[in-house]
Amino acid sequence: MTGFGLASTEHQNTKFLVEIKSLNSKFLELNLKLPRAFSEKELYLRNICSKEIERGKVSVSINVERNEETLKGAKINTQLLTLYYTQLQQINETLKAGSSNLLQTALNFPEVITYAEEEASESEWQALNSAFEKAILNFNKFRADEGKVLQADLELRIKNILEHFEEVAKLAPLRVPLIKERLNQFLEETIGKTNIDQNRFEQELIYYIDKLDITEEQTRLKSHCDYFMATLKSNEANGKKLGFISQEIGREINTMGAKANDAKIQQLVVGMKEELEKIKEQLLNVL
């Protein structure tokens, strides 16, 4: 959701500059800085940002640069300033305060300085709106270009998880004879080969192996990865959905790790977890 867009336009010796920046956020947090002359357009601009940007901590800065001919300056009420300054001098002498910044203090009093009320014409608004629309387009282009890079990285991470998954699928069936041999050897060493009830042993072995079976987890993990890839290629904003799918992928990976009972499979599970963590980090940047 990080992004940047900049655009400007000129109209009748006035330059309108619009800058849009965003960082990651679960919701739209919009900070809009707008000149007073266009304050009545604030709601309109906010609605456009909400529609076009959707999510992110967004800062929109709109500046109007006028030349000397069109610039309206401030006016100083000299009578009021003189009155305040005289009174401050008298108070200063009475209190023997020795203050030397009385003029600056008087300038800060209410209504000493008044600013000319700016009014924006319809043509000026059209010029500003044109710059704003260009900035939005540049902003979305920036995010789209970044999104292509993110998509390629996420596809690579899912591909790596699936490669680990294929290795797990090859190793999983090999556990059964190893488990059987290990348990049989343990019983022979503890109670003796002649005292082993083979029927009971086979029943317990089936029960034990069933607890370690990861077939369902493998099926669901493959399904979640395929769904993630399909969602990633959608033109809609699916950042939150991808986050939910990644949580489901993580749940299956964790269960496989808990049931693995095999060092090589555990190593592959660790590899899948590493890839998934990178996916979750990148999803913070996805709209």
Side-chain angles (χ1 to χ4, degrees):
M1 286 170 285
T2 56
F4 178 79
L6 181 67
S8 64
T9 187
E10 292 189 12
H11 173 74
Q12 295 180 350
N13 299 321
T14 301
K15 184 177 181 180
F16 300 91
L17 180 67
V18 181
E19 183 183 73
I20 305 174
K21 297 184 290 185
S22 77
L23 298 173
N24 298 329
S25 178
K26 292 183 178 179
F27 311 99
L28 177 62
E29 301 177 50
L30 179 61
N31 179 26
L32 176 61
K33 295 181 179 179
L34 185 67
R36 185 184 303 177
F38 298 94
S39 58
E40 64 178 17
K41 301 296 184 180
E42 181 175 352
L43 181 59
Y44 171 81
L45 295 175
R46 285 185 176 275
N47 288 336
I48 296 297
C49 290
S50 177
K51 179 181 177 182
E52 296 292 335
I53 299 177
E54 295 188 38
R55 289 171 61 196
K57 189 174 183 179
V58 183
S59 173
V60 180
S61 178
I62 300 176
N63 293 311
V64 178
E65 300 177 2
R66 303 180 185 275
N67 63 12
E68 293 182 359
E69 296 177 359
T70 58
L71 186 63
K72 297 179 181 180
K75 293 182 179 180
I76 299 178
N77 188 329
T78 54
Q79 272 190 316
L80 192 58
L81 174 61
T82 302
L83 177 62
Y84 284 144
Y85 183 74
T86 302
Q87 291 178 348
L88 286 172
Q89 277 186 319
Q90 292 172 354
I91 295 171
N92 188 52
E93 291 175 0
T94 301
L95 298 177
K96 298 180 180 180
S99 298
S100 60
N101 201 21
L102 299 180
L103 180 60
Q104 183 62 46
T105 303
L107 285 170
N108 291 329
F109 281 171
E111 299 182 10
V112 172
I113 300 178
T114 57
Y115 297 90
E117 191 69 28
E118 291 187 13
E119 294 182 1
S121 65
E122 181 61 26
S123 60
E124 287 180 322
W125 160 243
Q126 293 299 330
L128 185 146
N129 191 43
S130 175
F132 178 76
E133 291 177 349
K134 290 177 183 177
I136 286 285
L137 288 174
N138 293 336
F139 175 82
N140 285 332
K141 183 179 183 302
F142 183 101
R143 293 212 295 190
D145 292 341
E146 185 181 82
K148 291 177 182 178
V149 177
L150 289 175
Q151 180 176 351
D153 185 73
L154 291 171
E155 288 176 349
L156 175 63
R157 303 302 173 191
I158 291 294
K159 179 182 177 182
N160 291 341
I161 289 177
L162 290 174
E163 288 179 354
H164 290 318
F165 166 82
E166 291 175 0
E167 292 299 317
V168 170
K170 295 176 182 177
L171 293 173
L174 303 180
R175 295 177 303 159
V176 176
L178 292 176
I179 293 172
K180 182 176 181 180
E181 181 181 352
R182 191 161 61 242
L183 290 176
N184 194 43
Q185 182 179 359
F186 173 76
L187 291 174
E188 288 180 0
E189 292 175 353
T190 53
I191 64 175
K193 184 175 182 180
T194 56
N195 295 324
I196 299 175
D197 185 337
Q198 289 297 326
N199 290 331
R200 179 66 182 275
F201 175 70
E202 293 293 338
Q203 291 176 359
E204 294 295 334
L205 182 63
I206 292 172
Y207 176 79
Y208 182 68
I209 291 175
D210 183 63
K211 291 293 182 181
L212 301 179
D213 183 59
I214 58 174
T215 303
E216 292 184 8
E217 286 75 17
Q218 289 176 288
T219 301
R220 287 195 293 265
L221 177 59
K222 180 65 166 60
S223 176
H224 293 329
C225 287
D226 291 342
Y227 187 36
F228 187 98
M229 294 289 280
T231 304
L232 187 62
K233 294 176 181 178
S234 172
N235 292 326
E236 299 178 3
N238 286 320
K240 290 184 178 179
K241 180 185 285 189
L242 291 171
F244 296 143
I245 299 172
S246 68
Q247 290 178 9
E248 295 301 317
I249 291 175
R251 187 172 289 112
E252 303 306 330
I253 291 174
N254 288 334
T255 306
M256 287 174 57
K259 291 184 174 183
N261 196 35
D262 182 270
K264 292 183 179 179
I265 292 179
Q266 287 284 10
Q267 292 174 2
L268 292 168
V269 166
V270 170
M272 286 191 279
K273 287 183 177 181
E274 289 177 346
E275 297 297 330
L276 184 61
E277 283 303 310
K278 293 175 183 177
I279 287 174
K280 289 181 178 179
E281 290 176 5
Q282 292 288 37
L283 287 179
L284 296 175
N285 297 306
V286 178
L287 183 61

